[in-house]
Amino acid sequence: MTCRYSLHRLSESVSFEDQRLQKHLKFLSDLCKEHIGNSKPLKESLGISYKALNHIQYLLNEIEKTKEEITEVDLLISDLKDSKDELYNVALSEKESFQHKLNVLQDQLLPLMVPVDAGDEKDIILEISPGVGGQEAMLFAKDMFHMYCHYATYKGWRHEVLKYDTTELGGIRSAHLGINGAHAYRVLKYECGVHRVQRVPKTEKAGRIHTSTTTVAVLPQPSEIDIVIRPGDIELEFKNSSGAGGQHVNTTDSCVRIYHKATGLVVESQVSRDQHRNRQVALTSLRAKLYERELMAALKEETLSRKSQVGTAARSEKVRTYNFVQDRITDHRAHVTLHDVQRFLGGEELFDHMSHLLQHWGDTQALQDVLHKYA
């Protein structure tokens, strides 16, 4: 069975006739006129670039022209309604064409008004940790890890295992995955939070359903320019690697542990036998965590409430339930329920469908937050 879906339009959730929206459009139009030829950046809290602002102004002009054309055609239709000759039918067809053009222009305009998150274009580090549920939680954490690996492949993204700490029963205690690709953070940022699974574990002899959780963190990967880490800011420690890997791993000081003095953050890597490689991975992880702290601090200071970002960034928030018995996946934020858990965990089209629904939900929430100030 192939899952077919169409991308949701913001106009399905936000009415173009909303007076709050009209007020915001006037604000943006005035802002554009005010900053014509001005190369200074807009306020970061606005979340809109000059390029997008100029395109908004262009679309607003086109929308106004199209509305005027619809008004003129309406007058012609009114004059011809009694005769209903061929010209009347032509006028009706023109009105339908203009109305379609108006809908297309409005659909193009609304996404431009959604504030852009600072990290949307970043690559990511995705961290998976089992929560409550013991070995079953660790087994499900492994299922989720492979789901994200498959999805990265499906999207044509490059991914690399940065950490993979396994258990004797085949689960994972912790896993970090680096994902590099177009819009990786924008697509996967809504995976952040607590994922709950309800199923009968393989180790359960009585057939009872267990509830376990896995926590996912999605960290945008900053560049070295975004976050500068000076040698004096950190303390390095080299030690023997632990866990699976053979005698060679356990007898060399390949594991790298980094302590960041200012924040107290500690990261370590033993993904490779190469100490230099592990140092690079650990620095990348540290840089991502420091960048996340800066993003969270900036979000709190924004004058516009960004509930969608603050909500999805909370690792304690239950975001999704995977119910194997009822064969359904429910996302508790967007109130979306899909079926076929195994295909969803395959990390391809059905998972991609969910990610599109969540992006639509996130964009709607962000735009509603902007409009809230006009209430």
Side-chain angles (χ1 to χ4, degrees), residues 83-329:
S83 61
K84 293 187 179 180
D85 58 9
E86 184 177 346
L87 186 58
Y88 175 79
N89 292 328
V90 171
L92 287 177
S93 178
E94 280 193 352
K95 179 179 180 180
E96 183 178 345
S97 176
F98 286 137
Q99 189 61 53
H100 174 71
K101 178 182 177 182
L102 180 62
N103 292 338
V104 170
L105 290 169
Q106 291 175 348
D107 284 342
Q108 291 176 350
L109 176 61
L110 287 178
L112 294 173
M113 298 168 61
V114 177
V116 177
D117 287 333
D120 271 358
E121 300 303 314
K122 300 287 186 182
D123 299 326
I124 65 170
I125 293 178
L126 193 145
E127 300 181 349
I128 303 172
S129 305
V132 298
Q135 289 292 340
E136 168 61 6
M138 295 178 184
L139 289 169
F140 187 63
K142 177 185 177 182
D143 292 340
M144 292 195 65
F145 175 82
H146 289 297
M147 175 180 73
Y148 294 124
C149 288
H150 292 155
Y151 186 60
T153 300
Y154 174 78
K155 297 291 284 187
W157 296 334
R158 182 171 63 85
H159 63 282
E160 177 184 18
V161 179
L162 304 178
K163 181 180 181 181
Y164 194 75
D165 186 8
T166 60
T167 68
E168 294 180 357
L169 293 181
I172 57 174
R173 295 185 181 87
S174 179
H176 297 175
L177 185 67
I179 299 179
N180 302 70
H183 313 295
Y185 182 72
R186 169 165 170 74
V187 174
L188 289 175
K189 63 184 176 183
Y190 298 112
E191 294 302 300
C192 188
V194 176
H195 295 246
R196 181 176 66 177
V197 59
Q198 296 172 319
R199 66 181 179 183
V200 179
K202 296 178 181 179
T203 56
E204 173 58 57
K205 297 180 180 179
R208 293 173 297 183
I209 300 172
H210 286 224
T211 298
S212 305
T213 62
T214 292
T215 300
V216 176
V218 183
L219 311 179
Q221 287 193 48
S223 67
E224 293 189 15
I225 297 175
D226 294 325
I227 298 293
V228 178
I229 301 176
R230 293 178 289 270
D233 296 339
I234 59 176
E235 290 181 0
L236 291 171
E237 179 184 343
F238 305 97
K239 59 180 182 178
N240 290 347
S241 294
S242 60
Q247 184 178 3
H248 176 76
V249 167
N250 292 315
T251 56
T252 60
D253 293 333
S254 58
C255 179
V256 177
R257 182 178 183 273
I258 299 179
Y259 169 70
H260 189 254
K261 299 175 184 177
T263 62
L265 288 173
V266 177
V267 295
E268 68 174 48
S269 174
Q270 58 180 28
V271 69
S272 170
R273 295 179 178 180
D274 182 351
Q275 187 184 94
H276 178 70
R277 173 61 183 147
N278 285 335
R279 184 176 182 275
Q280 287 182 319
V281 170
L283 280 171
T284 299
S285 296
L286 176 60
R287 192 172 285 114
K289 291 180 183 295
L290 291 172
Y291 187 67
E292 182 193 31
R293 288 169 67 103
E294 287 197 4
L295 279 181
M296 292 302 101
L299 287 172
K300 291 179 181 178
E301 294 173 0
E302 284 186 356
T303 56
L304 297 178
S305 171
R306 297 299 309 280
K307 295 177 183 177
S308 62
Q309 262 302 296
V310 173
T312 55
R315 300 186 191 183
S316 60
E317 180 184 4
K318 183 181 70 178
V319 296
R320 191 176 302 149
T321 294
Y322 306 74
N323 189 309
F324 279 71
V325 179
Q326 298 178 10
D327 199 26
R328 62 173 171 81
I329 312 102

Side-chain angles (χ1 to χ4, degrees), residues 16 22 25 28-29 32 51-67 101-113:
F16 206 82
Q22 294 303 317
L25 284 171
L28 293 178
S29 179
C32 185
K51 183 177 180 181
L53 192 62
N54 288 331
H55 194 39
I56 286 173
Q57 185 62 54
Y58 165 77
L59 290 173
L60 285 173
N61 292 337
E62 290 298 305
I63 286 172
E64 190 60 33
K65 291 178 185 176
T66 306
K67 284 183 175 180
K101 178 182 177 182
L102 180 62
N103 292 338
V104 170
L105 290 169
Q106 291 175 348
D107 284 342
Q108 291 176 350
L109 176 61
L110 287 178
L112 294 173
M113 298 168 61

